[in-house]
Amino acid sequence: MNIKLLFGAKAYFIKMVLWISMAIFILVVVLSTVVYINSQNLLVKNEYAANQKILYQVKYNMDFMDQTISNLSKFLYLNSDVTAVMYAKQENMVDVAYRLNKIVSSVTSANPYIHSISIYNRNLDQSYSTGSPLFFKDQMLYDFINSNQALPKLKPIFRDIKKLVNGQTDPEHVFSYFIYETLINDAKPDGVVVINVKPEWLLENIKQINMIDKRKGDNVFILDQYGEYLDDGTNDREIMSWMKSDFMFYKTAHPQAEPDGFFQSKHNGIQYLVTYTNLDSAGMTLLKMQPVLEIYKYINSLKTSIIFITIIFLVMAIVMSIGISQKIYRPLGKLVNSIMLDRVRRLNKDEVVDEISYLNTVYQQSMEKLDHFDKEKYQYKDVMKHYWLSRLLTESFSIGGSELETIFQDMRFSISLDGSYVICLLKIDNYKEFQQTFQAKDKDTIRFALINIASEIVAREYPNEGLDMKDDHVVLIVSLPEEDDQFPWRIVSLMEEAQENVSRLFKVSFTASISDKANHRKTLHSLYNKALDQSMYRLLLGHSSVITHETVKKHVESKKTGYARNLEEMFLETIKSRNAGALEEVLSHIFAEISTLNYHNAFVSIIRLVDAGIETLEEMKVTASPSLHISSISRNILEKETIVEIHRIIVAALHDSFQQGQGETTNSLNYFVVDAVTEYIHNHYQDPSLSLTSIASIMKLSTRNLSKIYKEATQISIPDCINEFRLAKAAELLTHEDLSVYEIVEKVGILNETYFFSMFKKKYKVTPKEYAIRRNMNNLNNKG
């Protein structure tokens, strides 16, 4: 065994190990990833909760400061020293200085975070400050006084009051609280008190609460109501600008976001966690930012543990998969080894990629051989089955009961060995045309289908076996149960159903001949001959008939040997008088009497009638139609399968014979052609392939010549004749059958439903559905 075969023998086992290992590994990786991601999310949420606690503490302190300063502002606004300075009519600098010092000693000593207090006197248009200098001009306050602007009352405003030191102006950041009153009719206040608070107190308080380590990227920012930073000058301007724009973008993108929350954003390739909260009372927003990596560093150990656990599980998965695969693979491996040892002579296609492919190859080879053996067996069995059924029908042979029982079992006959039987002979109508129209392969297919369809339909009631007699008919041997008196009408009904199915599927009709019942298999030969003789009565009963003993009983028992003598005399007289109307009437009476005779007398009567007609024409020195020539009688008349066809041909031939001259002979020939084409259209209108070309092929004429002959004789083209007849049949079905329009279109041989609607409406001026409704209404009215 070479390396390729050795590898192939274990390839499926290796795949099992790999797939099981991969499945366990993927499961572990997915679970580990879920645990890791959930841990990250949980950590971020916990960090957010911690940050919120810090911001809430800052928020509380700011609210406390805001409340304290607001209360202080109200206290100062009502203080007698403040009101004396704020509403003084004349300026007394000694009194102002005294009162301001008194305010400073009573307020700033108790509140060290107070930066300064400014008092504005509108009467004197002068502002005084407890800070330096005394006459401090507050530009924001003067802008408010000199305009229609409104300053917020008791709301902290972060601003730079620009302190003058040694002739230079330095920044001085403070929180300012404005308190004032205005009269109803005057928008300008009489006085304003401004309390400025040192921001260092709040900022240091935030730093102490958060214990910010700026080296790690932690920062806390405060935005006032105008969206400006409360800046002590120690923060990174770039970070502040990015943080402000990202926060504004987040609030715009999430209008439904809560007042307190968090989001993640990236700056310079670093991911940050940003936590925010709002101070409604002060109109400010607190922002805290910290790098996400600083948060995730706490789960690095968890990440390492997860990776380590995943590796351990992978190793365990491989070990487990090997063990599981060995147990699953053991029966398969034994089977493969057994087959390899048994197959001494191996083919190159045995060398496949894995065990399953190998077993599949062996199975296919085995099935090919088995199918070959089965085909040979069934072919032999079909031949033998046909042989024994043929012998049962065509020979009166005697075989022992035990031997015949063995034959029935081996051949698996559906019919019973002992019991009653009936022969159903199915005779193909228009057999000569059937032979000319279809190719040999198609004819075999139709004969096979005819047996199968009829056999399957009859099998619903009775077991049967079908047999192709390789002539114009096939046979069903039907096994009847004991004391079944209902079989004749049941089998007739089944045969009619089979006729309908065969006609619909193959556009071929057949006549069924059903024999009497026989009570022993030895009489099958006699039954077959009787059914064959009985089928000859198709001549009198017509195509697609179902012939039984009861159907032809009156014909068989008829004592008449021919038609009346006086009718023949009248027939000959009408020929001599060349009275076409009287001729057709007499022939109708003659053929009506012929149709009541038995088959042999009817056949002799037809020959007698034709012979008498020919003799009369000869006496009249009239050239008989080619159809009545002695040399062509057997081909044109006696080969016809029904007396309806024979009647039509005789009438046409006599009409043609009445014509004189070469031109008249040509017209008679044309009349025969036209009559044949019309009959063919009437019999095959259901065939979608029916056309001028197909008819010309059957008639052995060119399409141009056939079209010219038919058009000159009938004043209508063959395609128009086909369409007219199909539309007439469709109209008939619409009023007499409960069928859909689609089913009717299919029944009349038209493939294009739209084309049918167009033709129908053009002919009848209404749609098919409207036509059916109108006809039904007319019928109801006539009955009423």
Side-chain angles (χ1 to χ4, degrees):
M1 186 179 293
N2 57 33
I3 296 176
K4 184 177 180 181
L5 293 176
L6 181 63
F7 177 75
K10 290 294 183 181
Y12 189 70
F13 174 74
I14 294 172
K15 288 181 181 179
M16 288 176 63
V17 173
L18 292 177
W19 279 110
I20 295 175
S21 301
M22 187 62 67
I24 298 176
F25 174 71
I26 291 174
L27 180 62
V28 171
V29 169
V30 170
L31 292 176
S32 301
T33 303
V34 170
V35 170
Y36 182 74
I37 292 174
N38 286 339
S39 299
Q40 283 185 330
N41 293 335
L42 184 61
L43 186 62
V44 169
K45 290 180 179 179
N46 290 337
E47 189 66 22
Y48 161 70
N51 290 341
Q52 281 290 65
K53 289 180 180 180
I54 293 172
L55 294 181
Y56 284 155
Q57 183 62 46
V58 174
K59 180 179 179 180
Y60 173 78
N61 291 346
M62 291 187 68
D63 287 338
F64 176 75
M65 179 197 75
D66 179 68
Q67 189 65 35
T68 302
I69 299 302
S70 296
N71 293 333
L72 180 61
S73 299
K74 295 174 183 178
F75 166 75
L76 289 175
Y77 190 77
L78 300 175
N79 184 276
S80 58
D81 294 324
V82 172
T83 56
V85 174
M86 184 167 54
Y87 296 113
K89 300 294 184 178
Q90 294 180 352
E91 186 175 57
N92 186 342
M93 292 304 303
V94 175
D95 183 65
V96 169
Y98 169 76
R99 292 182 183 278
L100 290 179
N101 286 332
K102 186 178 179 182
I103 292 169
V104 169
S105 60
S106 63
V107 175
T108 57
S109 59
N111 300 282
Y113 47 83
I114 298 299
H115 174 275
S116 60
I117 298 172
S118 296
I119 301 172
Y120 173 73
N121 186 318
R122 183 182 178 187
N123 296 326
L124 302 175
D125 192 24
Q126 182 65 50
S127 61
Y128 306 97
S129 175
T130 61
S132 178
L134 175 63
F135 299 101
F136 174 71
K137 185 176 182 180
D138 192 329
Q139 190 61 42
M140 179 180 287
L141 180 60
Y142 277 87
D143 289 341
F144 161 63
I145 296 298
N146 297 321
S147 68
N148 293 325
Q149 296 178 1
L151 282 175
K153 292 182 181 180
L154 297 178
K155 292 289 184 181
I157 298 175
F158 186 73
R159 59 183 183 137
D160 182 6
I161 59 177
K162 301 185 183 303
K163 181 179 180 182
L164 183 64
V165 179
N166 298 325
Q168 294 183 353
T169 302
D170 292 334
E172 187 78 12
H173 295 93
V174 295
F175 286 111
S176 297
Y177 284 78
F178 294 83
I179 184 170
Y180 58 89
E181 288 182 354
T182 57
L183 298 177
I184 295 176
N185 297 325
D186 189 3
K188 304 298 182 181
D190 291 333
V192 179
V193 176
V194 182
I195 300 177
N196 298 313
V197 182
K198 299 175 183 177
E200 289 81 3
W201 173 80
L202 177 60
L203 297 178
E204 287 298 326
N205 182 267
I206 293 173
K207 292 178 183 178
Q208 290 298 322
I209 292 175
N210 190 42
M211 293 185 292
I212 295 173
D213 187 354
K214 291 189 177 182
R215 292 174 299 177
K216 295 181 180 180
D218 286 6
N219 280 291
V220 175
F221 302 103
I222 302 176
L223 293 175
D224 64 11
Q225 62 267 39
Y226 302 110
E228 299 297 332
Y229 280 108
L230 276 64
D231 184 14
D232 61 356
T234 62
N235 288 296
D236 187 342
R237 294 290 179 180
E238 182 183 355
I239 289 286
M240 294 170 66
S241 176
W242 161 76
M243 175 58 58
K244 178 180 177 180
S245 63
D246 266 31
F247 175 68
M248 294 302 179
F249 176 79
Y250 176 80
K251 295 294 287 184
T252 303
H254 300 81
Q256 304 298 326
E258 297 291 333
D260 302 335
F262 71 96
F263 63 93
Q264 292 190 28
S265 186
K266 183 178 287 187
H267 177 65
N268 291 336
I270 301 175
Q271 192 78 12
Y272 288 93
L273 175 67
V274 180
T275 307
Y276 62 89
T277 187
N278 291 322
L279 286 79
D280 296 330
S281 60
M284 297 184 183
T285 301
L286 296 175
L287 297 172
K288 183 178 187 298
M289 59 172 287
Q290 61 188 129
V292 173
L293 290 178
E294 288 296 318
I295 303 171
Y296 289 165
K297 71 179 181 179
Y298 300 109
I299 64 170
N300 285 336
S301 58
L302 177 61
K303 181 178 180 181
T304 303
S305 300
I306 291 174
I307 293 173
F308 181 69
I309 292 171
T310 302
I311 293 173
I312 292 175
F313 266 94
L314 177 60
V315 175
M316 292 176 62
I318 295 173
V319 175
M320 290 174 61
S321 63
I322 292 173
I324 295 172
S325 300
Q326 283 179 340
K327 290 185 178 181
I328 297 174
Y329 180 78
R330 188 175 293 116
L332 180 63
K334 289 181 179 179
L335 177 60
V336 173
N337 291 333
S338 299
I339 293 175
M340 284 184 172
L341 292 174
D342 291 339
R343 287 172 63 82
V344 179
R345 297 179 61 189
R346 301 174 58 211
L347 302 176
N348 290 333
K349 57 183 177 180
D350 286 350
E351 300 177 11
V352 289
V353 295
D354 59 33
E355 300 89 312
I356 300 300
S357 299
Y358 173 75
L359 292 176
N360 184 55
T361 302
V362 174
Y363 173 76
Q364 288 179 351
Q365 293 173 8
S366 302
M367 289 305 298
E368 287 173 3
K369 291 183 178 181
L370 184 60
D371 288 342
H372 178 69
F373 293 146
D374 285 343
K375 285 179 182 178
E376 290 184 348
K377 180 180 177 182
Y378 284 123
Q379 287 175 357
Y380 170 77
K381 184 173 287 185
D382 287 341
V383 172
M384 294 305 298
K385 190 173 184 179
H386 188 277
Y387 167 76
W388 287 114
L389 288 175
S390 298
R391 290 196 64 184
L392 284 172
L393 289 180
T394 59
E395 299 180 20
S396 298
F397 69 99
S398 59
I399 301 178
S402 60
E403 184 180 353
L404 193 59
E405 183 178 358
T406 303
I407 293 172
F408 267 60
Q409 289 178 353
D410 291 343
M411 296 299 105
R412 297 183 180 179
F413 286 145
S414 299
I415 58 176
S416 59
L417 180 60
D418 297 311
S420 300
Y421 304 95
V422 164
I423 298 297
C424 294
L425 188 144
L426 315 181
K427 200 163 191 175
I428 300 173
D429 295 332
N430 297 310
Y431 187 67
K432 185 177 180 180
E433 183 183 312
F434 173 80
Q435 292 284 76
Q436 295 173 348
T437 304
F438 298 100
Q439 300 293 331
K441 184 177 180 181
D442 294 333
K443 286 186 285 189
D444 291 339
T445 302
I446 293 173
R447 298 170 75 93
F448 178 76
L450 177 58
I451 294 172
N452 279 354
I453 291 172
S455 179
E456 287 182 9
I457 292 174
V458 173
R460 297 203 301 259
E461 298 280 346
Y462 306 105
N464 65 89
E465 287 290 345
L467 179 65
D468 188 353
M469 301 308 290
K470 300 301 180 184
D471 200 351
D472 65 346
H473 65 277
V474 298
V475 172
L476 294 184
I477 305 174
V478 182
S479 182
L480 298 177
E482 293 294 334
E483 299 180 357
D484 184 1
D485 297 331
Q486 305 296 323
F487 82 90
W489 68 267
R490 286 185 179 176
I491 293 182
V492 169
S493 175
L494 295 172
M495 284 295 105
E496 289 174 347
E497 183 180 348
Q499 287 175 332
E500 181 182 350
N501 280 278
V502 171
S503 176
R504 177 170 52 83
L505 295 174
F506 298 100
K507 306 301 183 287
V508 172
S509 65
F510 68 87
T511 298
S513 175
I514 304 172
S515 72
D516 288 333
K517 181 170 67 173
N519 295 322
H520 198 275
R521 61 181 177 274
K522 291 183 179 181
T523 59
L524 285 174
H525 169 64
S526 175
L527 281 183
Y528 169 64
N529 289 329
K530 288 181 180 179
L532 195 58
D533 292 339
Q534 195 172 264
S535 68
M536 303 306 292
Y537 280 92
R538 177 178 61 179
L539 177 71
L540 305 178
L541 300 178
H543 290 147
S544 299
S545 55
V546 180
I547 305 172
T548 64
H549 175 70
E550 293 297 325
T551 307
V552 298
K553 184 177 180 181
K554 63 180 181 179
H555 297 280
V556 175
E557 296 177 353
S558 175
K559 302 299 182 180
K560 295 174 62 176
T561 58
Y563 53 84
R565 183 68 183 178
N566 65 319
L567 288 176
E568 183 174 317
E569 292 174 356
M570 293 174 62
F571 168 63
L572 299 178
E573 289 297 327
T574 55
I575 292 177
K576 293 176 182 179
S577 66
R578 300 190 183 188
N579 187 336
L583 177 65
E584 291 185 13
E585 183 179 354
V586 172
L587 282 175
S588 296
H589 288 299
I590 291 173
F591 274 96
E593 289 200 10
I594 291 174
S595 65
T596 64
L597 306 176
N598 65 42
Y599 172 77
H600 300 288
N601 290 332
F603 198 78
V604 171
S605 297
I606 292 170
I607 295 174
R608 169 187 160 190
L609 179 67
V610 173
D611 185 60
I614 292 173
E615 286 182 1
T616 304
L617 291 173
E618 289 177 352
E619 290 175 4
M620 295 169 61
K621 306 299 182 181
V622 173
T623 302
S625 169
S627 301
L628 296 178
H629 288 177
I630 299 298
S631 60
S632 62
I633 286 178
S634 62
R635 183 179 72 255
N636 293 330
I637 296 178
L638 301 183
E639 285 185 359
K640 297 303 178 183
E641 297 176 352
T642 66
I643 62 171
V644 174
E645 296 174 280
I646 295 172
H647 181 193
R648 177 182 52 77
I649 290 174
I650 292 174
V651 171
L654 290 173
H655 277 293
D656 291 343
S657 299
F658 293 156
Q659 306 298 326
Q660 298 294 327
Q662 182 63 32
E664 294 169 354
T665 303
T666 301
N667 290 336
S668 66
L669 290 173
N670 291 350
Y671 183 84
F672 177 77
V673 170
V674 169
D675 197 37
V677 170
T678 303
E679 181 188 5
Y680 188 84
I681 291 172
H682 289 186
N683 291 336
H684 296 84
Y685 70 91
Q686 293 177 321
D687 185 0
S689 64
L690 181 65
S691 64
L692 171 62
T693 304
S694 65
I695 297 174
S697 177
I698 293 170
M699 301 290 292
K700 307 301 181 184
L701 294 172
S702 68
T703 55
R704 182 176 180 182
N705 191 23
L706 179 61
S707 178
K708 181 180 178 182
I709 292 172
Y710 197 88
K711 185 69 178 286
E712 288 179 352
T714 63
Q715 306 304 313
I716 187 174
S717 67
I718 291 177
D720 289 342
C721 179
I722 294 172
N723 289 335
E724 287 292 323
F725 192 77
R726 283 174 169 170
L727 290 174
K729 283 293 181 182
E732 181 181 342
L733 291 172
L734 282 168
T735 54
H736 293 95
E737 300 287 343
D738 186 16
L739 298 173
S740 67
V741 175
Y742 178 79
E743 291 173 323
I744 291 174
V745 170
E746 186 178 3
K747 276 186 173 291
V748 298
I750 298 177
L751 297 177
N752 191 322
E753 191 174 346
T754 304
Y755 179 58
F756 168 77
F757 271 89
S758 175
M759 289 195 304
F760 193 94
K761 193 166 185 180
K762 184 176 181 181
K763 179 176 175 62
Y764 295 104
K765 310 303 181 184
V766 291
T767 64
K769 188 173 290 186
E770 291 171 347
Y771 180 88
I773 293 172
R774 288 186 182 181
R775 278 299 182 92
N776 291 333
M777 290 296 295
N778 291 337
N779 292 338
L780 290 173
N781 292 334
N782 292 335
K783 290 179 181 180

